[in-house]
């Protein structure tokens, strides 16, 4: 299950439990809308409550990242899991965005806000 919030150029997603393909499709729809009408966006992924993801989510993420390689400015990932930290760094191969991993949500949001201020 996911929870989403968005404002101007930010899309924030919190994942609870297992991250399913239906959840990912909901995320994709929101991001596609934001990109279409506002251009590049920043992403905040809160994965601290995620217990896993399905294989089809991993495949969809690769396809989506390749299709939107230039559509993100910064991607902040909230997690304390080493495997997710590693996969966040690998995802940089598919997107032309700064990717940073955080343990603290306030730090992540501040990092995203810093780039948003300079973009205005």
């Amino acid at each position: 299950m996911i929870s989403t919030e968005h404002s101007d150029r930010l899309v924030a997603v919190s994942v609870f439990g297992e991250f399913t393909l239906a959840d990912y499709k909901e995320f994709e729809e929101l991001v596609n809308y934001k990109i279409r009408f506002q251009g590049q966006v920043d992403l905040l992924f809160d994965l601290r409550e995620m217990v896993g993801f399905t294989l089809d989510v991993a495949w969809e993420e690769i396809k989506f990242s390749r299709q939107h390689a230039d559509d993100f400015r910064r991607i902040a990932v909230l997690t304390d899991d080493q495997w997710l930290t590693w996969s966040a760094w690998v995802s940089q191969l598919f997107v032309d965005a700064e990717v940073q991993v955080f343990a603290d949500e306030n730090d992540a949001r501040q990092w995203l806000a810093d780039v948003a201020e300079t973009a205005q």
Side-chain angles (χ1 to χ4, degrees):
M1 179 174 118
I2 66 170
S3 170
T4 61
E5 73 175 78
H6 59 94
S7 60
D8 297 330
R9 295 182 177 261
L10 173 67
V11 174
V13 177
S14 298
V15 180
F16 305 96
E18 185 173 64
F19 198 12
T20 66
L21 185 58
D23 296 331
Y24 199 86
K25 292 291 188 176
E26 180 182 335
F27 156 75
E28 280 183 327
E29 187 176 311
L30 175 58
V31 169
N32 284 329
Y33 179 86
K34 297 294 274 186
I35 290 169
R36 182 173 181 192
F37 292 104
Q38 295 178 315
Q40 281 188 323
V41 297
D42 297 323
L43 300 177
L44 172 61
F45 278 105
D46 185 345
L47 306 177
R48 296 174 293 182
E49 300 295 323
M50 184 177 81
V51 296
F53 55 89
T54 59
L55 186 56
D56 51 358
V57 168
W59 179 244
E60 190 67 22
E61 194 276 328
I62 291 169
K63 292 188 318 185
F64 183 78
S65 295
R66 293 183 75 195
Q67 290 171 347
H68 296 281
D70 299 317
D71 292 331
F72 307 110
R73 293 182 299 181
R74 284 190 171 176
I75 301 170
V77 180
L78 281 167
T79 186
D80 55 6
D81 182 284
Q82 286 300 100
W83 172 253
L84 292 174
T85 299
W86 180 82
S87 70
W89 294 119
V90 169
S91 71
Q92 289 185 84
L93 300 172
F94 301 109
V95 295
D96 186 28
E98 291 180 73
V99 178
Q100 197 72 245
V101 178
F102 296 88
D104 180 76
E105 184 173 353
N106 290 330
D107 292 343
R109 287 185 181 273
Q110 184 59 52
W111 181 70
L112 293 170
D114 289 346
V115 77
E117 289 174 8
T118 61
Q120 294 180 5

